[in-house]
Amino acid sequence: MKKYQYWFFVPILAVLFLSGCAKKYDYSAHLSEVKSDIFCASTEQFTVTLSCISREHPYASDGIACPRSDIGEVTLLSKSGEKSDYAVYVGEENWGGEMSFRSVSGDWFYSASMDSFPERSVTIRVEWTGGSCEVEATSIKNEHTMSAADALERAISHESEYIRRCMRDGAFQGEFRVRLLRRDVNYYYVGIVTKDGKTLSLLLGAESGDVLARRESA
């Protein structure tokens, strides 16, 4: 009887072992956008911000993640409201160029591909008609800020049932957008876009990983 019981449990234990060793699904393959860091600096004349973004091309809310490229986006806001012809150059490689004024947001903007993103801090040189200056822009992240990968994992864990309903034949049918945000404190936005056009938006605390807000839209 004891021998029979032993061989009865061996197959069950084997199944449990193999289940535990099963490869974890790679949801990061469905990332269409990741804003991983933001660098900020301020002077008496302006504030300047560099956002580090990995974004798909073409960019579309279709639930399909395409290959991404690394992009830097720089925004400059004049504190006096005075208009000028601004140019911006980042780091030792002088990545940058002439900025364009955006009338809707009232700031200056520059965007282009980047070979690599800075860490912790970066020098930004701003030039305008009749002047220029250099500032040290620092990352908004601290030692407690989660990575974008951690934020995605927290969102998937929180929305496990929603994610399960988006699976077809073992594959996720949608795309993810993860963006580091800054208001008074840091947040992560995680968007889950499905192929049927629906979007689930989550706002997470960038340090706690707690879901602070949730909204579904068609």
Side-chain angles (χ1 to χ4, degrees):
M1 185 64 181
K2 291 182 179 179
K3 185 176 181 180
Y4 172 79
Q5 290 177 336
Y6 173 78
W7 286 107
F8 176 77
F9 283 108
V10 166
I12 297 176
L13 293 173
V15 171
L16 292 174
F17 175 78
L18 291 174
S19 298
C21 295
K23 186 176 180 181
K24 187 176 181 181
Y25 190 86
D26 183 16
Y27 288 101
S28 65
H30 300 278
L31 279 165
S32 60
E33 181 184 20
V34 181
K35 182 188 287 188
S36 56
D37 211 342
I38 303 173
F39 295 82
C40 301
S42 182
T43 70
E44 293 182 356
Q45 293 87 12
F46 58 79
T47 59
V48 62
T49 301
L50 166 66
S51 297
C52 301
I53 304 169
S54 179
R55 181 181 291 153
E56 70 174 356
H57 182 79
Y59 188 61
S61 297
D62 55 8
I64 302 174
C66 296
R68 305 191 312 269
S69 58
D70 292 340
I71 301 169
E73 293 185 349
V74 182
T75 57
L76 183 146
L77 182 62
S78 172
K79 292 183 177 179
S80 65
E82 180 181 354
K83 293 185 179 181
S84 182
D85 293 326
Y86 286 103
V88 63
Y89 300 95
V90 178
E92 296 180 356
E93 298 180 358
N94 282 329
W95 169 91
E98 294 184 3
M99 307 186 79
S100 300
F101 181 72
R102 301 188 296 187
S103 57
V104 175
S105 52
D107 59 11
W108 281 260
F109 181 77
Y110 178 84
S111 175
S113 298
M114 294 188 77
D115 293 331
S116 61
F117 293 143
E119 297 181 6
R120 295 191 179 89
S121 65
V122 63
T123 300
I124 300 179
R125 187 174 81 256
V126 179
E127 298 180 353
W128 62 91
T129 305
S132 68
C133 74
E134 284 191 354
V135 293
E136 192 76 8
T138 57
S139 170
I140 67 171
K141 297 165 68 175
N142 58 47
E143 65 273 17
H144 304 296
T145 305
M146 295 189 306
S147 67
D150 290 337
L152 176 62
E153 187 174 339
R154 290 293 189 94
I156 291 172
S157 176
H158 186 272
E159 295 294 333
S160 58
E161 179 59 26
Y162 187 91
I163 296 295
R164 186 190 65 78
R165 296 198 302 268
C166 297
M167 303 293 288
R168 298 290 185 276
D169 299 324
F172 177 70
Q173 302 298 304
E175 61 182 319
F176 297 101
R177 295 172 178 170
V178 182
R179 302 170 188 154
L180 180 63
L181 306 174
R182 176 72 180 180
R183 297 296 181 263
D184 296 328
V185 295
N186 295 343
Y187 302 94
Y188 272 106
Y189 165 83
V190 179
I192 305 173
V193 184
T194 59
K195 290 185 178 180
D196 59 3
K198 296 180 180 179
T199 300
L200 172 61
S201 299
L202 303 173
L203 187 67
L204 279 63
E207 296 184 7
S208 67
D210 295 337
V211 176
L212 307 177
R214 183 185 189 277
R215 184 181 67 182
E216 291 188 57
S217 59

